[in-house]
Amino acid sequence: MRPTLEAVAARAGVSRATVSRVVNGGAGVREALVVKVRKAVEELGYIPNHAARTLVTRRNGAVAVVIAEPELRIFSDPFFERQLRGISRELVVYDAQLVLLWVEGPDDHERIARYLGGGHVDGALAFSLHDDDPLPGLVRGVQVPTVFGGRPGWTAAADEPAVPYVDCDNRGGARDAVRHLRALGRSRIAHIAGPADQTSAVDRLAGYRDELPDSDLALVAQGAFTEESGAGAMAELLARRPDLDAVFAANDLMASGALRVLRARGLRVPDDVALVGFDDMLPIAEATDPPLTTVRQDVEGMGRLMVRLLMRLLDDGTGVEPVVTPTALVRRASA
């Protein structure tokens, strides 16, 4: 038979209430008794009842991860795989489960809001948001503690705490990329930008503009953070400015697509055109030919930070300050 709380109490020589407090994370139990209870739990193979734990801790032990992208994008982009890896590994530390939710279409927003508001999870982590995304407003409406991945495109009201988020220094990293290309003697530096409705892309374009305020508008083309969009943007740039000698792409997937087009046109990288990406997604950056110079952000570490901020938010019940992590230029053969 499955061991009961009473059996653990008898083995440890303590009361049932003491066992309940120990296994459900309660406070006020002497360390010597905690040791006895944990030993009894291990010897008997006791597994705490989730419903009972929820009554004691008022926690479900689950966190929703909401990605505002369709399923195909999530499972084909290594960025999301690394972010989810960091989140899941950190949730293990807190003995919490990950519930993955994504957005295939407009109808999913209300569905996700109903789920979050239904008491199924203790909090949420949301990222890859777009400017017109209703999710942030819906999340605030159901009052679920939430930490956002990436700088939000909105600001908190004057009487509200700061919006909790984790992001990297997108603007500074873009400046580093362009400075590096200029230091190599490149003067016609193009930029393949990410979606204009996402703050990471906006900030990286701003960093490019910081270093090249007088650059020709024809040297900027719009992408969508996908390999195919990078290829399309590269073809567009070459049609406008066939004499360009460097490209900074706003992520590694677009840089990979750009590289494919450059090679198809007979242009040598880096001899004719130097190329820099952003993210340092190793399955891409080290596998391209030549390997990709890029701006590294600690995607997995940022996922872990999001979990820590959320847990602090759940424990303290108050706002937490946003975190912006540094980036670093990684030099490889493409530049």
Side-chain angles (χ1 to χ4, degrees):
M1 293 178 62
R2 179 176 175 174
T4 63
L5 209 62
E6 289 77 9
V8 175
R11 174 68 66 95
V14 299
S15 69
R16 184 184 187 280
T18 297
V19 175
S20 177
R21 286 200 298 274
V22 173
V23 299
N24 292 312
V29 181
R30 298 198 313 273
E31 184 60 28
L33 296 183
V34 171
V35 171
K36 284 185 176 181
V37 170
R38 287 178 176 168
K39 183 181 179 184
V41 166
E42 184 177 348
E43 290 174 348
L44 294 175
Y46 174 76
I47 300 174
N49 181 276
H50 178 73
R53 173 177 283 188
T54 300
L55 287 173
V56 173
T57 64
R58 300 186 183 277
R59 295 274 184 92
N60 290 291
V63 169
V65 177
V66 184
I67 307 178
E69 300 289 352
E71 178 185 12
L72 181 61
R73 172 84 196 282
I74 293 169
F75 292 108
S76 62
D77 189 332
F79 176 91
F80 296 115
E81 182 269 330
R82 288 178 67 176
Q83 187 112 30
L84 287 169
R85 186 195 307 164
I87 289 170
S88 62
R89 287 180 174 177
E90 192 66 19
L91 284 174
V92 168
V93 175
Y94 295 92
D95 195 22
Q97 303 301 313
L98 184 157
V99 179
L100 181 59
L101 306 170
W102 59 78
V103 178
E104 289 290 345
D107 293 342
D108 288 328
H109 294 111
E110 289 292 341
R111 173 184 61 81
I112 291 171
R114 285 196 306 271
Y115 181 84
L116 295 178
H120 304 289
V121 294
D122 302 316
L125 307 171
F127 53 94
S128 201
L129 300 174
H130 301 260
D131 282 350
D132 60 350
D133 206 316
L135 273 175
L138 293 170
V139 167
R140 289 198 294 269
V142 296
Q143 298 183 337
V144 174
T146 303
V147 172
F148 295 93
R151 179 179 66 83
W154 71 95
T155 54
D159 58 343
E160 294 180 340
V163 178
Y165 70 86
V166 175
D167 202 357
C168 76
D169 184 8
N170 290 295
R171 191 165 184 164
R175 287 197 295 261
D176 289 342
V178 178
R179 283 178 194 147
H180 175 62
L181 291 169
R182 294 180 67 185
L184 294 176
R186 309 299 170 131
S187 58
R188 297 175 299 280
I189 303 171
H191 178 48
I192 299 178
D197 64 348
Q198 291 191 280
T199 56
S200 59
V202 171
D203 290 346
R204 292 171 198 179
L205 175 59
Y208 168 83
R209 293 283 187 213
D210 288 343
E211 292 298 312
L212 299 169
D214 300 320
S215 62
D216 188 343
L217 290 177
L219 285 170
V220 176
Q222 195 77 48
F225 281 154
T226 63
E227 184 175 349
E228 287 306 315
S229 72
M234 189 71 254
E236 183 181 330
L237 287 168
L238 288 172
R240 293 184 201 159
R241 290 295 302 269
D243 62 338
L244 62 84
D245 60 6
V247 178
F248 164 49
N251 80 338
D252 290 347
L253 274 174
M254 293 195 298
S256 177
L259 178 60
R260 175 158 47 90
V261 171
L262 289 169
R263 295 187 67 179
R265 300 290 178 89
L267 293 167
R268 298 167 300 164
V269 176
D271 305 72
D272 300 319
V273 180
L275 179 63
V276 177
F278 201 111
D279 289 338
D280 195 29
M281 295 290 105
L282 294 183
I284 301 170
E286 291 186 340
T288 57
D289 183 17
L292 186 64
T293 292
T294 185
V295 178
R296 175 182 293 159
Q297 59 169 321
D298 185 3
V299 178
E300 187 172 332
M302 290 162 63
R304 287 181 176 273
L305 276 171
M306 289 175 67
V307 174
R308 291 173 198 161
L309 287 191
L310 180 62
M311 293 306 170
R312 197 183 310 162
L313 196 61
L314 292 173
D315 289 340
D316 298 344
T318 57
V320 294
E321 291 298 315
V323 176
V324 177
T325 63
T327 58
L329 185 72
V330 180
R331 302 183 184 190
R332 299 190 181 94
S334 74

